[in-house]
């Protein structure tokens, strides 16, 4: 892959976005299309016959068979939202068009909403991306590396202490032409044999071959039916070996993205979502023009999340801003 193929592909322009998704009706139509491509289907009994209920704030279907009511936004990430769909869609557009991610503060400014609203929108969208990509597993040759969010490798500030440092596995699935097809950044409790065995079972398709820089824990990928090849020192430093080009590249991109876009945040609490967002972006890098269109497939497939669930128990740590 040449990077310029990615940089010069056409995205969805802002005027074109407004032309397609500028009104509440257009957004509702797009949601309905994404949710029920072949027409309404009752979530309770799969019946396709329905009546439309009039006078509801959101389009609401009543199943002709079981008579239960289903709103367009029930049962997915948009459930119970007080925000307009046009605002949601614009947020999705902005988040997906930003090449290296977008902070909640930038989103707040661009959407004209409060910071807590922008933060919650952003985290809900990241959660949807995370759940979407969690469905995929890595196959073929898979170079891996151990990394830390909040540590030196992702540009965390020095002196923040190891308690705000989250270990994760960076892994890239390579196809038979040695092109990267899919990236995963997976938080792990550590790099022990037990932790890596659990990671491997969740993320690798048996039969794959994992290559690492010799960290002992990665031997455990054999527990998931994969082979393991370790490059331990030698003439070149492992990081300079071509086998690790892509895993190093995606880690480098991640570092740039986090350093340039986001405030310091509680890595242990929210790190997984930021990692998932970066991986999601990479995994769809060749199709930027349709990225927003696929981004609202993810919120529709995503179950509802309450604000409390998204925020966790405490408020986000937010340092003085540069965005
Ligand atoms: Zn029904």
């Amino acid at each position: 892959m040449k990077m310029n193929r990615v940089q010069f592909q056409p995205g969805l322009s802002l005027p074109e976005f407004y032309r397609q998704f500028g009104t509440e009706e257009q957004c509702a139509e797009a949601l309905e299309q994404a949710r029920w491509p072949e027409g309404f289907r009752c979530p309770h009994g799969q019946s396709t016959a329905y009546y439309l209920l009039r006078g509801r704030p959101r389009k609401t279907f009543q199943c002709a068979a079981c008579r239960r009511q289903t709103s367009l936004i029930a049962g997915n990430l948009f459930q119970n939202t007080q925000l307009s769909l046009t605002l949601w869609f614009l947020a999705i557009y902005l988040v997906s068009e930003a090449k290296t991610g977008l902070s909640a503060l930038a989103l707040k400014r661009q959407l004209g909403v409060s910071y807590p609203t922008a933060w919650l929108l952003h985290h809900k969208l990241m959660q949807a991306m995370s759940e979407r990509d969690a469905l995929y597993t890595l196959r073929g040759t898979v170079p891996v590396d151990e990394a830390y969010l909040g540590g030196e490798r992702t540009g965390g500030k020095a002196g923040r202490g190891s308690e705000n440092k989250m270990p994760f596995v960076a892994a890239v699935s390579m196809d038979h032409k040695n092109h990267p097809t899919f990236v995963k950044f997976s938080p792990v409790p550590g790099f022990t044999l037990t932790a890596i065995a659990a990671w491997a079972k969740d993320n690798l398709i048996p039969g794959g071959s994992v290559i690492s820089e010799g960290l002992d824990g990665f031997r455990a990928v054999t527990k998931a039916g994969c082979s393991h090849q370790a490059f331990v020192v030698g003439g070149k430093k492992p990081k300079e070996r071509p086998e690790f080009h892509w895993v190093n590249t995606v880690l480098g991109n991640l570092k740039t993205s986090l350093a340039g876009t986001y405030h310091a945040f509680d890595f242990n609490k929210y790190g997984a979502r930021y990692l998932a967002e970066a991986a999601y972006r990479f995994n769809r890098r060749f199709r930027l023009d349709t990225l927003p269109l696929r981004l609202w497939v993810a919120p529709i497939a995503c179950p509802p999340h309450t604000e409390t669930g998204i925020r966790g128990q405490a408020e986000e740590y937010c340092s003085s801003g540069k965005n």
Side-chain angles (χ1 to χ4, degrees):
M1 188 191 83
K2 294 276 185 288
M3 285 311 284
N4 57 11
R5 246 178 79 196
V6 173
Q7 283 155 5
F8 292 112
Q9 64 181 324
L12 180 65
S13 72
L14 193 51
E16 185 57 23
F17 170 83
Y18 273 118
R19 200 185 64 73
Q20 292 184 40
F21 309 107
T23 71
E24 205 61 14
E25 291 70 32
Q26 286 174 316
C27 295
E29 180 74 20
L31 270 196
E32 191 176 332
Q33 265 295 321
R35 183 170 184 184
W36 295 299
E38 279 136 38
F40 172 78
R41 188 170 283 271
C42 174
H44 306 289
Q46 301 300 306
S47 171
T48 54
Y50 66 90
Y51 311 98
L52 277 181
L53 294 176
R54 308 245 169 253
R56 302 298 175 98
R58 310 277 181 193
K59 190 169 183 179
T60 304
F61 301 79
Q62 182 166 40
C63 173
C66 73
R67 308 197 59 80
R68 288 206 243 187
Q69 299 173 5
T70 305
S71 126
L72 194 54
I73 60 166
N76 53 53
L77 193 72
F78 304 107
Q79 181 166 307
N80 295 328
T81 185
Q82 304 297 316
L83 303 173
S84 65
L85 290 178
T86 48
L87 194 80
W88 270 99
F89 274 49
L90 184 55
I92 291 169
Y93 173 80
L94 293 171
V95 165
S96 63
E97 284 289 305
K99 302 290 185 291
T100 55
L102 196 67
S103 70
L105 268 176
L107 202 56
K108 163 196 179 303
R109 290 198 191 109
Q110 299 203 42
L111 295 177
V113 297
S114 70
Y115 180 78
T117 298
W119 188 94
L120 193 61
L121 266 171
H122 188 214
H123 276 254
K124 282 194 172 182
L125 292 176
M126 288 198 291
Q127 181 65 26
M129 295 184 211
S130 160
E131 293 186 27
R132 193 78 187 162
D133 272 10
L135 301 172
Y136 296 95
T137 36
L138 304 172
R139 61 173 70 243
T141 303
V142 182
V144 296
D145 201 0
E146 78 271 19
Y148 291 88
L149 198 54
E152 276 175 49
R153 301 232 6 209
T154 51
K157 291 179 182 123
R160 290 185 52 80
S162 58
E163 72 282 356
N164 189 25
K165 199 169 150 183
M166 191 184 75
F168 67 98
V169 174
V172 184
S173 195
M174 308 295 291
D175 67 13
H176 63 284
K177 289 181 180 163
N178 218 25
H179 293 158
T181 57
F182 206 82
V183 167
K184 275 203 154 191
F185 298 130
S186 319
V188 286
F191 301 103
T192 61
L193 289 168
T194 312
I196 296 299
W199 169 81
K201 283 174 190 162
D202 285 346
N203 293 288
L204 300 176
I205 292 177
S209 55
V210 171
I211 55 174
S212 78
E213 295 173 8
L215 183 85
D216 193 53
F218 284 119
R219 282 192 291 123
V221 300
T222 53
K223 300 269 190 212
C226 293
S227 65
H228 176 230
Q229 191 183 4
F231 289 93
V232 193
V233 278
K236 283 179 173 177
K237 283 188 201 160
K239 288 198 191 319
E240 291 165 7
R241 294 191 64 107
E243 290 86 350
F244 297 105
H245 171 74
W246 277 107
V247 76
N248 288 330
T249 300
V250 295
L251 278 172
N253 290 349
L254 177 69
K255 177 176 175 172
T256 309
S257 165
L258 290 175
T261 315
Y262 297 111
H263 298 288
F265 56 88
D266 184 336
F267 293 108
N268 284 309
K269 200 160 154 193
Y270 300 120
R273 280 193 206 127
Y274 287 93
L275 289 178
E277 184 194 29
Y280 188 98
R281 205 176 292 288
F282 182 86
N283 290 334
R284 286 150 187 83
R285 68 205 179 283
F286 284 128
R287 297 170 64 188
L288 291 182
D289 54 337
T290 60
L291 183 58
L293 307 182
R294 280 171 296 126
L295 198 50
W296 45 79
V297 170
I300 279 185
C302 188
H305 287 277
T306 63
E307 178 166 354
T308 319
I310 288 285
R311 282 193 184 280
Q313 295 305 306
E315 289 300 297
E316 177 193 31
Y317 171 82
C318 182
S319 72
S320 62
K322 57 185 167 183
N323 275 314

